[in-house]
Amino acid sequence: MENPILARLERLGAKPSPLWLWTLLVLQEGERYPLPFWNEALSRAVGRKVFCPSYRALERRLEEALRSCD
């Protein structure tokens, strides 16, 4: 099954990155997509396997990834 988050980023012409994922999460997507899709997209964006057991954990991981990009 295709990851709809990654497919959406591709349609936008964007590569998976913490900033793009954060934008999708806070602006409109939130719980629209199940956590396994978010985990896969974040793993791709940061270049290592990521597992977030909750949306709260996902938010924290995205915030951490954004801070490390500065």
Side-chain angles (χ1 to χ4, degrees), residues 13-67:
K15 294 184 181 189
S17 73
L19 182 58
W20 273 110
L21 293 175
W22 176 256
T23 302
L24 288 177
L25 183 69
V26 299
L27 289 182
Q28 60 184 345
E29 303 307 321
E31 296 179 10
R32 178 177 177 182
Y33 301 117
L35 278 169
F37 291 130
W38 284 108
N39 286 327
E40 179 185 355
L42 183 54
S43 295
R44 177 107 31 106
V46 298
R48 68 185 191 314
K49 182 75 172 165
V50 175
F51 173 74
C52 300
S54 68
Y55 287 95
R56 172 66 80 197
L58 174 65
E59 287 178 38
R60 281 193 303 267
R61 284 286 181 101
L62 278 170
E63 289 170 0
E64 290 170 8
L66 286 171
R67 281 193 298 270

